[in-house]
Amino acid sequence: MVDLAQKEMDNPTFRSDTVLSDVHLHCPSKRHLMVRLNAVGQPVFLSCFKLLWSTEDLASGKHMREITTGREHQCRSGDELWDKDGNNIKKEGELNSEGVEALLDDDGDVEVVRRPRSASDLQAEGLLRDIVCPAILMKGEEDAFEDEDQECTCSDVVKIEHTMATPLEDVGKQVWRAAFLLADYILFKRDTFRCCSVLELGGGTGITSVIMGTVAKRVYCTDVGEDLLAMCEQNVALNKHLMESGGGEIKVKELDWLKDEFCTDPEAPYSWSEEEIADLLDHCSVIMAADVFYDDDLTDALFRTLYRITHNLRNSCTVYLALEKRLNFTLRHMDVTCEAYSHFRNTLNDLENLQDGKMKYTVEPIKPDFCQFLVYERIEQL
């Protein structure tokens, strides 16, 4: 059975209903360890995703270093400069104690502060995007990871079990770029999330919850499907060391958007206790979701769930939504469209314009120009 899966991955053929994330295909030589087949016979892989800065550096507040040069660099926002901790360095054009403009190099020349090159830019040099051949390792070949990660420490890498290609209903078992984008934002604004109680909707493999768990007090990572939730729980266990310094806790729970209540059946795996529901409603101040807007019915169900939960929270709450705008040419429109995104925007507008006398929602876009902390391809459609 494993040999058959290996053969299929060496010569992949995809059915018309197969959905494939390209997160793990950006670097053709990237190696992925096949660890098992899941309950429905899909190959499950273990992949290592590199953190550009270790969680130890993040926790200690040290200045981050650019991975290619070892030099400290800054991010730019408007007319102000910020270091990687999000601290203001000096306004553009501000004079130092000697009356000389701050943005000068040692020779007195103007030093142009540029946006840091993203990890995807660095790894894309010389990369043939049309050649996609990830190296699939079988169980027993774990040592093959040693050469690749010999310079990495435990705090440099996030290990995630995932699948590479699934039917649409199982896309939560794959890793998606918007999850990395949201993870980047969490690390960039980590002081905002420190010691918070957080709910993730549609957590999938759990990678965003794992990153949030490095700074937050408690994270409820939710999704549906016992097989998916078991995979998510395994990923939390694989990365437990990343959360030890901050003392964060991640609880994997079932939350079905098509149902109006939390699952409290004690016989059901990943159900909620009454104490956990009370803790969520009393203390949750952050809700997040990444790349969950691909089906109109599920989008509607998510917003109904979002309204129901926020309506019952004791305190005000901030919701962070990340997604990839996927463009498709359709015969119906004879044009390039993004129907799932359009429906998401319309539903979001409906929520903002909601007037029921009880809740008020304000929508604020966040420009995705903050610093990149994980190795992935950050594209314009994120």
Side-chain angles (χ1 to χ4, degrees):
M1 202 168 184
V2 172
D3 291 339
L4 177 60
Q6 170 71 66
K7 183 177 179 181
E8 290 177 351
M9 292 308 300
D10 287 340
N11 301 283
T13 56
F14 301 113
R15 300 193 307 268
S16 60
D17 64 344
T18 298
V19 180
L20 178 68
S21 168
D22 58 2
V23 165
H24 18 262
L25 302 182
H26 176 53
C27 301
S29 61
K30 184 70 177 177
R31 286 172 283 185
H32 307 275
L33 175 65
M34 178 179 165
V35 291
R36 58 187 171 85
L37 296 178
N38 63 18
V40 293
Q42 298 162 339
V44 175
F45 300 90
L46 175 65
S47 297
C48 296
F49 296 99
K50 183 85 167 62
L51 277 164
L52 300 187
W53 296 276
S54 72
T55 53
E56 293 174 356
D57 289 341
L58 296 174
S60 64
K62 293 180 181 177
H63 289 295
M64 290 58 161
R65 61 195 183 280
E66 187 169 2
I67 192 168
T68 52
T69 66
R71 294 179 57 194
E72 179 184 333
H73 61 244
Q74 296 88 31
C75 296
R76 182 168 182 158
S77 177
D79 291 332
E80 296 184 336
L81 300 179
W82 306 80
D83 66 14
K84 283 290 192 168
D85 291 316
N87 299 316
N88 182 250
I89 300 176
K90 193 176 288 290
K91 290 185 178 180
E92 186 173 3
E94 185 175 340
L95 302 182
N96 62 19
S97 58
E98 298 177 356
V100 181
E101 285 200 14
L103 298 181
L104 301 179
D105 63 15
D106 295 337
D107 298 325
D109 300 320
V110 176
E111 184 175 2
V112 178
V113 179
R114 303 182 184 278
R115 180 180 66 84
R117 298 178 69 192
S118 68
S120 57
D121 294 335
L122 301 174
Q123 298 207 352
E125 292 182 354
L127 186 65
L128 298 177
R129 292 297 306 276
D130 57 339
I131 298 178
V132 177
C133 46
I136 306 303
L137 308 177
M138 305 303 293
K139 207 163 187 179
E141 297 180 279
E142 291 90 341
D143 292 343
F145 275 122
E146 291 183 0
D147 293 337
E148 185 175 287
D149 299 323
Q150 60 182 349
E151 297 182 356
C152 300
T153 66
C154 290
S155 58
D156 291 327
V157 172
V158 181
K159 293 183 178 180
I160 295 294
E161 286 194 1
H162 61 94
T163 57
M164 285 192 181
T166 65
L168 184 62
E169 62 267 21
D170 285 335
V171 292
K173 297 176 182 177
Q174 300 187 52
V175 182
W176 299 94
R177 274 187 290 232
F180 286 99
L181 182 73
L182 185 52
D184 274 345
Y185 186 76
I186 293 166
L187 293 175
F188 182 62
K189 292 287 190 180
R190 57 193 175 281
D191 288 341
T192 301
F193 303 106
R194 203 175 300 281
C195 298
C196 287
S197 183
V198 181
L199 169 67
E200 180 173 16
L201 301 173
T205 61
I207 187 168
T208 308
S209 281
V210 166
I211 296 299
M212 180 63 85
T214 64
V215 293
K217 178 182 179 181
R218 181 172 294 113
V219 181
Y220 290 98
C221 181
T222 68
D223 216 309
V224 292
E226 186 175 346
D227 193 41
L228 172 59
L229 292 170
M231 176 188 292
C232 181
E233 190 172 52
Q234 170 66 5
N235 288 332
V236 171
L238 286 171
N239 297 282
K240 188 176 181 180
H241 60 282
L242 298 177
M243 295 163 275
E244 288 177 349
S245 59
E249 176 187 21
I250 300 178
K251 294 191 174 187
V252 179
K253 297 293 176 182
E254 177 184 333
L255 184 57
D256 191 339
W257 306 339
L258 300 177
K259 297 180 180 178
D260 293 333
E261 302 293 338
F262 292 94
C263 175
T264 56
D265 182 0
E267 300 297 323
Y270 308 106
S271 63
W272 296 72
S273 68
E274 295 297 336
E275 292 77 11
E276 289 168 335
I277 296 174
D279 175 66
L280 175 72
L281 299 180
D282 287 345
H283 300 107
C284 180
S285 59
V286 174
I287 298 176
M288 60 181 184
D291 236 332
V292 295
F293 305 103
Y294 55 88
D295 177 270
D296 290 355
D297 291 337
L298 286 179
T299 296
D300 293 339
L302 171 62
F303 276 98
R304 285 195 299 269
T305 300
L306 197 59
Y307 175 79
R308 175 173 57 85
I309 291 176
T310 54
H311 181 75
N312 289 299
L313 292 179
R314 172 171 292 186
N315 303 306
S316 60
C317 179
T318 304
V319 183
Y320 295 90
L321 306 175
L323 69 157
E324 181 176 338
K325 190 176 180 181
R326 294 181 174 85
L327 305 173
N328 298 287
F329 180 86
T330 64
L331 292 176
R332 182 157 63 96
H333 297 90
M334 292 303 292
D335 197 1
V336 176
T337 64
C338 189
E339 295 186 74
Y341 177 77
S342 298
H343 185 77
F344 158 75
R345 291 293 312 189
N346 291 335
T347 310
L348 189 63
N349 290 338
D350 292 342
L351 187 68
E352 187 177 23
N353 296 327
L354 182 67
Q355 296 181 355
D356 63 356
K358 301 177 182 177
M359 300 288 294
K360 178 177 174 57
Y361 297 88
T362 302
V363 177
E364 298 180 8
I366 298 174
K367 291 184 179 180
D369 57 357
F370 41 86
C371 301
Q372 185 165 346
F373 292 82
L374 283 152
V375 176
Y376 69 102
E377 183 185 21
R378 188 185 284 190
I379 62 173
E380 293 180 1
Q381 289 73 31
L382 285 173

